Amino acid sequence: MGFVYSDLLAADASQASPADRTTPTGGPTPAPEGAFSYIVWPTNGEVIPGGDFVVVFGLHGMGVAPASVEKEYTGHHHLLIDTDLPPLDAQIPNDDNHVHFGRGQTEYQLTLPSGTHTLQLLLGDDKHIPHTPPVMSERITIRVP
């Protein structure tokens, strides 16, 4: 089994408008260029019978460390459920739509009600603030019948 991060399949960035080529900024903690997180499973468009499943996280170009561990090029995951990105220069909220994995977890047992849902990962530094540039996954859509 293998996975391909969809940004690697994107069109040539030189074809994008200048506004599309701007790099968003996060907090004060730097991340290496090209680092990204990704959702290994489920995949975009997946149908989840029963709505009870394990979300598996991936990270490329950085390491995972628990919250409060200050080490260069590391962070911990936050799963955004049915919400847009929070402000990228402030602490990531901690609520039902922004789930923190401060012990360095790389998977999560999730139960969702029937309907269409979105999932996205956002890496936070030792203080739960996104890096610069922000390290995040694509936002995927799943459906629970």
Side-chain angles (χ1 to χ4, degrees):
M1 180 188 302
F3 301 94
V4 175
Y5 181 65
S6 64
D7 277 0
L8 300 176
L9 303 174
D12 181 356
S14 65
Q15 303 299 317
S17 70
D20 293 337
R21 288 188 292 244
T22 59
T23 302
T25 57
T29 305
E33 288 295 325
F36 59 89
S37 61
Y38 56 98
I39 298 174
V40 176
W41 200 89
T43 59
N44 192 38
E46 195 80 39
V47 176
I48 314 288
D52 187 26
F53 61 103
V54 175
V55 182
V56 181
F57 314 150
L59 182 61
H60 173 81
M62 293 183 68
V64 175
S68 79
V69 171
E70 189 175 346
K71 184 173 180 182
E72 185 177 46
Y73 300 144
T74 66
H76 63 281
H77 294 286
H78 299 81
L79 180 62
L80 283 54
I81 304 168
D82 296 331
T83 189
D84 293 325
L85 286 170
L88 297 174
D89 59 351
Q91 195 172 64
I92 299 166
N94 189 3
D95 56 33
D96 289 343
N97 298 97
H98 304 83
V99 183
H100 287 235
F101 299 95
R103 292 183 306 204
Q105 304 97 306
T106 58
E107 62 181 37
Y108 179 59
Q109 180 78 35
L110 181 61
T111 303
L112 293 173
S114 294
T116 300
H117 301 279
T118 61
L119 303 175
Q120 185 172 19
L121 290 172
L122 178 60
L123 202 70
D125 66 9
D126 59 304
K127 297 173 185 68
H128 306 281
I129 299 172
H131 298 76
T132 294
V135 178
M136 64 184 100
S137 72
E138 283 187 358
R139 186 176 181 186
I140 68 165
T141 300
I142 60 171
R143 190 170 62 82
V144 176

